[in-house]
Amino acid sequence: MKKLFVVPLALSAALAIADHKDGQPAEPQVLKGEVVALTLYLTEEMHGAEGATEALAALRGGSPAGLLAADGTVTLILVTSQEGGEALKYVAHNVEITGTIHEHGGMRAIVPKSVVDLGAVETKPVGGHEHK
Amino acid sequence: MKLRCVLCVGLAAMLAGLALMARAEDKKEEVTIKGEVVDMACWLEEGKMGPDHAKCAKGCVSGGTPAGIVTEDGSVYLVVVHGKDGKSPLSHVAEMVEVKGHVVERGGIKGIVATSCTKVEAKGEGSEGSHK
């Protein structure tokens, strides 16, 4: 009788290990940064409080969203019809996103599971490009 | 006095030339890439693409999932800005396309601002086309 439980358990463990080796992290990760409209950020480096209105319009118009970290790296925010849409509400805000990270072909993305608003991004100093 | 005038005119001409050179450098060259238009969620999360996944990909992109162009060498370009004249890569989800445009790269995200997009035959695809 015990074997009936042991075999499926061993199989599940083996499958979980194999899945982890495929590069699909099982544990959600946390990323912090500013939500930006990638259309504007990639083409014009527009972000922050000054570009908030345009960024919101761009996102509503279908622009992909990204998370701009303090070190300048950008992670694509993967929004599907089922999940992730909450992050878009916080454009030009600093947020903490908990989600699953996927990396393929040089592109890094996060599928948000939860988003915590850390407040609106402060106005950039004149001539500055600080990522706050 | 004449000498001063000549020097001033010469200096102004030199500055204008330098400004023109700087503007020319700002203009990025148009590139052409070939690849399949994919929905980033399914491609990044599960590597799904191709004709078998066309229906899902079209549904995802029309539902707001960002699109990308995966080239033969496996690199991916985020579709950043799209025209509304029917030439957009978003009109060719799950199809092989040739896209002309400007590559923009910031913070680890590589995107393409498409100026034109035409469907091309996939390798091994007949004239009827199977990417529908």
Side-chain angles (χ1 to χ4, degrees), chain B residues 110-123:
Chain B
K110 190 164 61 174
I112 186 157
V113 182
T115 52
S116 77
C117 178
T118 50
K119 184 186 173 186
V120 295
E121 296 299 323
K123 271 185 181 174

Side-chain angles (χ1 to χ4, degrees), chain B residues 8 17 28 32 43 51 56 62-63 65 68 80-81 93 102 109 130 132:
Chain B
C8 282
K28 287 184 179 172
T32 303
W43 186 75
C56 176
S62 64
T65 301
V80 176
V81 177
V93 176
H102 304 282
I109 297 268
S130 61
K132 297 246 173 182

Side-chain angles (χ1 to χ4, degrees), chain B residues 15-89:
Chain B
L15 287 172
L18 285 172
L20 279 173
M21 277 170 66
R23 278 184 73 89
E25 279 175 6
D26 282 347
K27 283 186 180 177
K28 287 184 179 172
E29 279 185 26
E30 191 174 73
V31 298
T32 303
I33 59 166
K34 263 186 194 177
E36 181 180 327
V37 184
V38 300
D39 80 282
M40 295 297 282
C42 293
W43 186 75
L44 279 167
E45 289 179 42
E46 302 169 61
K48 286 182 178 173
M49 62 188 296
D52 295 341
H53 184 251
K55 194 177 171 184
C56 176
K58 286 175 183 177
C60 287
V61 171
S62 64
T65 301
I69 296 163
V70 178
T71 59
E72 282 183 347
D73 66 2
S75 57
V76 62
Y77 295 80
L78 185 70
V79 176
V80 176
V81 177
H82 53 88
K84 293 176 179 172
D85 55 0
K87 291 176 183 173
S88 162

Side-chain angles (χ1 to χ4, degrees), chain A residues 6-8 16 30 32 34 36 38 43 49 55-56 66 68 94 103 124:
Chain A
V6 172
V7 172
V30 179
K32 274 185 189 177
E34 177 192 339
V36 297
L38 284 175
T43 56
L56 185 61
L68 172 62
N94 283 314
E103 208 158 356
K124 281 186 290 184

